[in-house]
Amino acid sequence: MPRNARSGTVISILLSFASFLSLLQLFDPLQSTDVPQSVLERGLADFKGLSRATRFNSTTLDSQDRILWLLQDAGVALSSLSEEERQQLPKWQHVIDLYGDDIIVHGQEQCETFRQHVPNPKDRILAVAGLFNTGTNLLNTQFTRNIQGIKTLWQVPWGKHRMAQVKWEHTAHEMEQHNKEHVLPVVIIRDPLAWMQSMCANPYAAKWRHGTHHCPNLVPDELDRQFYRHLPNDSAFGVRVKYDAESQFEFDSLAHLWSDYHLQYMNADYPVLFIRYEDLVFQPKQVLTQIAHCVGATVREPLRYQINTSKNHGSGTNWIRAITKTASAELRKHNLTADDITYLHQHLDASLMDLFQYPI
Ligand SMILES: *[C@@H]1O[C@H](CO)[C@@H](O)[C@H](O)[C@H]1NC(C)=O
Ligand SMILES: *[C@@H]1O[C@H](CO)[C@@H](O)[C@H](O)[C@H]1NC(C)=O
Ligand SMILES: *[C@@H]1O[C@H](CO)[C@@H](O)[C@H](O)[C@H]1NC(C)=O
Ligand SMILES: *[C@@H]1O[C@H](CO)[C@@H](O)[C@H](O)[C@H]1NC(C)=O
């Protein structure tokens, strides 16, 4: 064995040993020494075979622990978080209460069709699609950092926020060279209640009447009637999405925009994979593995987490903040009136809410 190769092997053995010890909290290059001792002991009891990539067994680790393990797996030291961030960290049970324990990936039954349609893996393209504020930038970052052996695109060639129906009519700027037939859209969907909160902060191309006195707003209330003239008594706040001068869509409400966008992709006559934003935040490894499996690609080992913000516009939420916000049952209901909630029950598409297990 050449000298260099041997010292490389020694170094990699030392590195593996160091990361093994760091999992045991004995040697911690990231100074995450303040994981509670109880967590450590319970973790160690279940240690056999647990690698950095292992899916945490939440029946043996208690609720708080799974979040802590997730941070540790990502190399985020608790000591690097502010006191406030630490106090706000949710328990895993909060996540389960809202979104369940298991990831949801829809459309996998079409994976084989896609692979047969594009038999050469070199031709296959994974591409991001999703409404504004659903984590499309995060998904793209995860693709470029962790999906291996296949080409990925930051957006479907017809535009990531565009309606599925424009696939053949519209091609986004500088996307002309990509063969649309070779693209598998991965649509990232997000809890509509949380999504509406983000839409209020950053509406992007969506326009509707709203103010900080009531947003998200579906049904006009008394205050709205004082604010806005000519509000009809029997309808919601309509929404217009203006993609460009030639392409505008009208929706009866934010709920209709969310439902229609996703239903179009659900009913598309080509394979589409759906993943949940919440799963990408809390269980990125599992989600990326399913996506990779669908197209015959692999996931980088160990996974590189996206900890800083994935975009330089919008809210710039980092991962810790995303964890905290996403697990909050209160934040997602902010500003919704009883009438709004009733309206959501009636107008968010029930099949989508059921399939993706989003509660109202
Ligand atoms: C989790 O651990 C429990 C108890 O050790 C075991 O019965 C169960 O099968 C495990 N679940 C998974 C998904 O590994
Ligand atoms: C809306 O309802 C109010 C009170 O119920 C009524 O005075 C008003 O005329 C109605 N406006 C329209 C446009 O129907
Ligand atoms: C995140 O951003 C901070 C400040 O911009 C930087 O110091 C740090 O290295 C970044 N971390 C990662 C993992 O990119
Ligand atoms: C919405 O939130 C704002 C500020 O957070 C508050 O002032 C307002 O009263 C709320 N409106 C409703 C309808 O809850």
Side-chain angles (χ1 to χ4, degrees):
M1 187 185 286
R3 202 184 160 86
N4 282 350
R6 185 178 306 156
S7 67
T9 309
V10 169
I11 286 169
S12 65
I13 288 171
L14 282 176
L15 278 178
S16 326
F17 189 57
S19 47
F20 174 75
L21 288 180
S22 78
L23 257 183
L24 296 178
Q25 300 284 312
L26 299 176
F27 168 78
D28 190 357
L30 296 157
Q31 291 182 304
S32 55
T33 46
D34 48 359
V35 172
Q37 187 63 21
S38 56
V39 173
L40 186 56
E41 280 163 10
R42 259 168 304 170
L44 285 178
D46 194 39
F47 184 77
K48 245 180 254 163
L50 181 73
S51 74
R52 284 176 83 81
T54 304
R55 177 177 177 162
F56 302 117
N57 186 336
S58 52
T59 56
T60 50
L61 297 175
D62 97 339
S63 50
Q64 171 89 347
D65 299 347
R66 177 138 171 199
I67 297 287
L68 293 183
W69 277 103
L70 179 66
L71 295 186
Q72 198 183 5
D73 197 47
V76 174
L78 277 187
S79 56
S80 72
L81 305 185
S82 70
E83 183 62 29
E84 196 193 359
E85 283 175 325
R86 243 176 301 182
Q87 278 169 2
Q88 287 177 346
L89 275 184
K91 294 186 189 303
W92 181 240
Q93 189 61 44
H94 295 146
V95 180
I96 296 178
D97 289 347
L98 286 173
Y99 305 117
D101 218 345
D102 294 319
I103 68 165
I104 296 173
V105 178
H106 177 74
Q108 285 169 298
E109 70 286 351
Q110 296 174 326
C111 293
E112 197 181 340
T113 307
F114 176 74
R115 292 194 301 266
Q116 282 171 0
H117 185 65
V118 193
N120 187 346
K122 284 203 182 78
D123 293 334
R124 298 177 191 153
I125 305 173
L126 274 179
V128 176
L131 274 175
F132 327 101
N133 291 309
T134 58
T136 52
N137 291 295
L138 173 64
L139 181 58
N140 177 53
T141 311
Q142 290 287 19
F143 277 0
T144 54
R145 302 188 91 183
N146 292 304
I147 295 285
Q148 296 176 326
I150 198 168
K151 184 165 159 186
T152 67
L153 280 181
W154 66 280
Q155 68 168 346
V156 291
W158 50 99
K160 63 178 174 174
H161 300 316
R162 298 271 173 159
M163 303 297 288
Q165 71 185 46
V166 307
K167 176 176 177 180
W168 297 111
E169 296 157 20
H170 180 79
T171 301
H173 185 56
E174 292 184 345
M175 286 284 150
E176 296 81 3
Q177 75 272 31
H178 304 292
N179 185 338
K180 290 178 182 176
E181 293 274 7
H182 292 172
V183 168
L184 178 70
V186 182
V187 175
I188 181 164
I189 187 170
R190 182 177 177 199
D191 172 358
L193 276 68
W195 169 76
M196 290 191 302
Q197 304 294 340
S198 292
M199 288 299 285
C200 289
N202 282 294
Y204 294 94
K207 288 206 180 347
W208 76 102
R209 289 200 273 188
H210 65 277
T212 48
H213 65 284
H214 183 201
C215 194
N217 52 337
L218 286 308
V219 182
D221 64 8
E222 280 312 308
L223 208 50
D224 291 321
R225 298 202 176 279
Q226 291 171 23
F227 261 74
Y228 310 113
R229 291 158 154 258
H230 311 302
L231 279 178
N233 277 349
D234 55 357
S235 71
F237 284 98
V239 179
R240 171 196 303 254
V241 178
K242 185 174 177 180
Y243 291 105
D244 57 46
E246 293 90 50
S247 182
Q248 303 190 18
F249 290 82
E250 307 260 356
F251 302 91
D252 289 348
S253 71
L254 283 173
H256 290 81
L257 164 56
W258 186 88
S259 299
D260 292 357
Y261 177 90
H262 296 108
L263 283 174
Q264 276 203 12
Y265 267 111
M266 293 292 281
N267 297 327
D269 59 0
Y270 47 88
V272 177
L273 211 53
F274 282 80
I275 63 159
R276 299 193 303 177
Y277 166 78
E278 296 75 19
D279 295 331
L280 196 63
V281 169
F282 292 110
Q283 310 195 55
K285 168 92 182 170
Q286 288 77 4
V287 174
L288 293 172
T289 301
Q290 301 281 330
I291 296 172
H293 184 72
C294 181
V295 292
T298 56
V299 177
R300 189 181 184 277
E301 185 82 51
L303 191 76
R304 279 198 289 180
Y305 283 80
Q306 174 59 23
I307 295 155
N308 280 352
T309 179
S310 309
K311 56 179 177 182
N312 47 22
H313 59 276
S315 72
T317 300
N318 72 17
W319 188 48
I320 301 299
R321 184 95 185 98
I323 284 177
T324 304
K325 278 166 71 173
T326 306
S328 168
E330 289 78 43
L331 275 181
R332 64 196 284 280
K333 293 209 166 161
H334 171 78
N335 254 205
L336 292 172
T337 63
D339 284 348
D340 290 332
I341 298 280
T342 305
Y343 190 90
L344 291 176
H345 273 291
Q346 289 165 349
H347 297 283
L348 282 171
D349 183 78
S351 63
L352 289 172
M353 294 300 280
D354 199 46
L355 178 60
F356 294 103
Q357 292 181 27
Y358 288 134
I360 294 188

